Amino acid sequence: MTFRAVLFDFSGTIFRLEQDETWLADLTDHDGERLDVEAQTELMRRMTAPVGQVVDLDEEHLHAWHHRDRDPVLHRKVYLEVLKQSGVPHADQAVALYTRLIDPSQWTPYPDTEAVLKGVSGKGVKLGVLSNIAFDIRPAFSRRGWDAFVDEFVLSFEVGAVKPEPEIFRHAVERLGVDPAETLMVGDSEEADGAAREIGCAFALVEPLPTTERPDALLTVLRAHNVL
């Protein structure tokens, strides 16, 4: 199979929101105690999990959860509730942490991200970034000059569709001007990203490990699919 396009998920695939101790050092629970390392790790997991409800929610917040990646207002609303239920009861602390979480400059690229973006673009293969997200991630690329390698950013809050809905994948391939059968989707979620197969795309899974533990997974899957 010769692929004319590659679609990359963002979080856990080409970038990762790494746990930053400076963000969490001053967080305190209901009793004023600082969160321990285990609680901090679980907090970050809940804030970046690609699928699955991470806390119990009332009807109002459940609606916001299901639509969070379509609407920045709902995204903020429900994740402040997630933070509250995850041991960050103080509103000012929750807002400060949430602001960092949606700042693209705070996200860390995987070690092979630059090589992969350059390599795919250099081969003349169309490249898209397809993400369930409620904030603009383009600055994470432009500040490094990597936006030059990306043909299309397809972000759920801008197009009104989310993975695993087939509409968002169709939207991406149409914008790239390619056939789904000639497109490889690379992502960290079998449920969300793997749904690209429903419209005829191929799919390659990478694990959303810390960036220090995953030096070349993107290169490996692209070589395995004869893209690089």
Side-chain angles (χ1 to χ4, degrees), residues 121-211:
S121 179
K123 289 280 188 179
V125 176
K126 294 283 188 177
L127 194 159
V129 176
L130 173 58
S131 181
N132 280 0
I133 206 153
F135 59 93
D136 188 2
I137 58 176
R138 293 176 183 87
F141 295 81
S142 60
R143 69 193 298 261
R144 297 174 172 87
W146 296 353
D147 54 321
F149 308 123
V150 181
D151 295 291
E152 293 289 345
F153 287 92
V154 181
L155 310 181
S156 60
F157 81 101
E158 293 180 340
V159 301
V162 297
K163 298 175 288 185
E165 296 169 358
E167 291 77 13
I168 195 168
F169 300 107
R170 291 195 187 100
H171 190 88
V173 297
E174 288 172 3
R175 280 173 52 171
L176 289 173
V178 295
D179 189 274
E182 300 173 313
T183 304
L184 174 66
M185 176 75 211
V186 181
D188 69 311
S189 171
E190 179 73 34
E191 179 181 344
D193 304 307
R197 289 179 292 212
E198 294 182 20
I199 71 163
C201 299
F203 172 64
L205 181 70
V206 292
E207 296 296 328
L209 300 172
T211 57

Side-chain angles (χ1 to χ4, degrees), residues 15-199:
F15 279 75
R16 188 174 190 271
L17 186 64
E18 303 277 30
Q19 184 167 329
D20 187 323
E21 294 180 0
T22 65
W23 299 354
L24 306 172
D26 295 327
L27 295 183
T28 53
D29 61 19
H30 291 272
D31 298 321
E33 299 293 330
R34 290 186 177 180
L35 302 184
D36 60 25
V37 173
E38 182 177 345
Q40 292 179 10
T41 301
E42 175 61 13
L43 183 63
M44 296 299 289
R45 185 197 70 79
R46 292 182 180 188
M47 297 303 290
T48 58
V51 294
Q53 186 178 327
V54 294
V55 297
D56 291 329
L57 298 168
D58 59 25
E59 185 176 348
E60 178 184 356
H61 287 97
L62 189 60
H63 170 81
W65 176 262
H66 289 312
H67 296 278
R68 67 194 186 282
D69 289 323
R70 305 177 199 266
D71 185 337
V73 174
L74 294 179
H75 189 275
R76 184 179 190 276
K77 176 179 181 177
V78 75
Y79 274 111
L80 289 179
E81 177 66 16
V82 169
L83 287 169
K84 179 181 178 180
Q85 291 197 35
S86 300
V88 188
H90 305 291
D92 58 336
Q93 294 181 355
V95 169
L97 179 55
Y98 177 79
T99 300
R100 291 189 177 105
L101 297 176
I102 63 168
D103 180 354
S105 70
Q106 303 293 335
W107 290 66
T108 304
Y110 279 91
D112 55 348
T113 293
E114 181 175 13
V116 162
L117 296 179
K118 286 182 177 179
V120 171
S121 179
K123 289 280 188 179
V125 176
K126 294 283 188 177
L127 194 159
V129 176
L130 173 58
S131 181
N132 280 0
I133 206 153
F135 59 93
D136 188 2
I137 58 176
R138 293 176 183 87
F141 295 81
S142 60
R143 69 193 298 261
R144 297 174 172 87
W146 296 353
D147 54 321
F149 308 123
V150 181
D151 295 291
E152 293 289 345
F153 287 92
V154 181
L155 310 181
S156 60
F157 81 101
E158 293 180 340
V159 301
V162 297
K163 298 175 288 185
E165 296 169 358
E167 291 77 13
I168 195 168
F169 300 107
R170 291 195 187 100
H171 190 88
V173 297
E174 288 172 3
R175 280 173 52 171
L176 289 173
V178 295
D179 189 274
E182 300 173 313
T183 304
L184 174 66
M185 176 75 211
V186 181
D188 69 311
S189 171
E190 179 73 34
E191 179 181 344
D193 304 307
R197 289 179 292 212
E198 294 182 20
I199 71 163

